[in-house]
Amino acid sequence: MPNSLFQNMLVRYPIATKDDLNNATHEVMQQIALAGLYRGGFFEKVAFYGGTCLRIFYGLQRFSEDMDFSLLQADEKFALENYFDAIVAEFRALGREVLITRKEKKTQTHVESAFLKDNTEVFQLAFSTEKQIKIKIEVDTQPPLGFASEQKLLLMPFSFWVRCYSLSDLYAGKMHALLFRNWKSRVKGRDWYDFEWYVRNNTPLNFSHLQQITKQINGLPENEFSFDIFKEMLKERISQTSIEAVKNDVCPFLKNPQEMDIWSTDYFLQLVDMIHKQC
């Protein structure tokens, strides 16, 4: 029965709470979406990046909601809609029906965005919650270049390759988000969790790629954004941040929230001094 594969993917996760079920279902849907994109030839032009990429392919111990992609070369004519049928067909093969809707832009940007929603009735997913599963998919059609990519293997729902940013370039993107993300009223605690993960895993930072990102997006020329300036800016950001707000934001995505017990302003300031550049 086609739906049994969906359930087999789901039971690989330890599920004890509603949050566990919601997070696991998100991740299974993300993997199925990746499979559909692979069948549609998506990864010939596009690379996967962001927290979900880090979670699925590099072992990050937190769940992630959105799926972020970048073209390998800028292309204003790129249309994310061309791959919707492949995603829908992949879910349908597993006995699932999904609806993909385009997110209307309030302002003109170079990011193509769509929402992937699970249309199946709640009881068919064995949910204990009525919350609708929704995944945002975005593609940067004019990305800062200078990044490397690699092919990563996923075994479910079948064996296939996904083109992903290298760890050092994922790190650069995360540091840009940590420095320049517009928080509005909510601190993005997941950025801080990922920052700690990179340092803990001794990941080298591709600082030249970070310079390209800040030059394209923020208009900072390389001579005004040295490695030392970057670290000072990061320390200032940390000093202005409520670490309790950081913990509260990321907590629902963690299996073991106790790992944040040591978190403090001083802890993150010391992490900054442990960042090292890619040679």
Side-chain angles (χ1 to χ4, degrees):
M1 186 175 180
N3 198 41
S4 63
L5 181 53
F6 188 98
Q7 296 300 332
N8 287 342
M9 293 176 70
L10 198 60
V11 298
R12 295 180 303 157
Y13 297 85
I15 297 174
T17 67
K18 291 181 180 180
D19 280 343
D20 290 342
L21 179 58
N22 187 57
N23 287 332
T25 304
H26 258 101
E27 191 157 304
V28 168
M29 290 182 67
Q30 290 163 348
Q31 292 175 32
I32 296 169
L34 288 171
L37 290 169
Y38 166 81
R39 288 196 199 270
F42 186 73
F43 296 108
E44 296 171 11
K45 298 180 178 180
V46 177
F48 192 22
Y49 75 100
T52 302
C53 177
L54 202 59
R55 160 73 185 176
I56 293 176
F57 291 105
Y58 296 101
L60 182 72
Q61 292 301 300
R62 74 160 176 88
F63 285 95
S64 181
E65 294 175 306
D66 302 334
M67 302 181 73
D68 300 306
F69 301 94
S70 168
L71 291 185
L72 301 177
Q73 298 292 334
D75 182 1
E76 293 182 0
K77 297 181 180 180
F78 179 86
L80 185 56
E81 295 97 323
N82 292 342
Y83 301 92
F84 285 179
D85 287 347
I87 296 174
V88 171
E90 199 63 44
F91 276 93
R92 189 166 291 153
L94 297 180
R96 315 296 300 178
E97 290 295 330
V98 292
L99 173 67
I100 304 177
T101 58
R102 184 183 181 89
K103 181 183 178 183
E104 295 301 324
K105 300 177 184 177
K106 295 181 181 179
T107 57
Q108 189 64 32
T109 70
H110 52 76
V111 175
E112 285 289 314
S113 180
F115 285 97
L116 171 63
K117 298 180 181 180
D118 187 347
N119 254 11
T120 305
E121 294 296 329
V122 170
F123 69 87
Q124 291 181 324
L125 262 174
F127 276 158
S128 56
T129 174
E130 295 181 358
K131 184 177 180 180
Q132 185 184 49
I133 300 295
K134 183 170 69 173
I135 299 170
K136 184 167 66 174
I137 303 174
E138 293 190 352
V139 181
D140 190 340
T141 59
Q142 297 184 42
L145 301 179
F147 62 87
S149 66
E150 56 188 4
Q151 298 283 3
K152 302 292 287 186
L153 179 64
L154 201 58
L155 299 178
M156 297 288 277
F158 58 89
S159 296
F160 62 99
W161 298 103
V162 174
R163 185 189 298 274
C164 299
Y165 269 49
S166 72
L167 267 179
S168 293
D169 297 300
L170 284 167
Y171 195 179
K174 181 56 61 177
M175 289 298 92
H176 181 266
L178 200 59
L179 278 179
F180 298 103
R181 190 191 296 275
N182 185 359
W183 291 344
K184 296 183 180 178
S185 61
R186 183 182 180 185
V187 174
K188 197 82 166 181
R190 284 153 280 183
D191 289 344
W192 299 81
Y193 184 91
D194 296 358
F195 167 44
E196 183 202 39
W197 185 91
Y198 283 115
V199 176
R200 184 188 300 277
N201 286 274
N202 199 34
T203 306
L205 170 67
N206 185 349
F207 186 69
S208 63
H209 182 48
L210 177 56
Q211 286 179 310
Q212 290 189 49
I213 299 172
T214 55
K215 183 178 180 180
Q216 177 173 321
I217 297 177
N218 309 101
L220 277 177
E222 293 181 9
N223 62 348
E224 295 181 18
F225 189 65
S226 66
F227 190 59
D228 287 338
I229 291 173
F230 153 67
K231 290 197 293 183
E232 287 305 312
M233 290 175 65
L234 187 53
K235 287 182 177 181
E236 182 178 354
R237 186 74 149 170
I238 290 168
S239 298
Q240 296 172 348
T241 301
S242 165
I243 301 303
E244 285 305 310
V246 168
K247 292 180 180 180
N248 291 337
D249 179 77
V250 75
C251 187
F253 300 92
L254 304 182
K255 288 294 295 180
N256 181 25
Q258 288 73 31
E259 61 186 296
M260 297 187 294
D261 288 349
I262 194 174
W263 286 16
S264 67
T265 298
D266 185 60
Y267 176 69
F268 280 100
L269 288 173
Q270 292 201 35
L271 290 182
V272 175
D273 291 327
M274 298 179 183
I275 299 173
H276 64 282
K277 292 189 292 184
Q278 184 181 49
C279 296

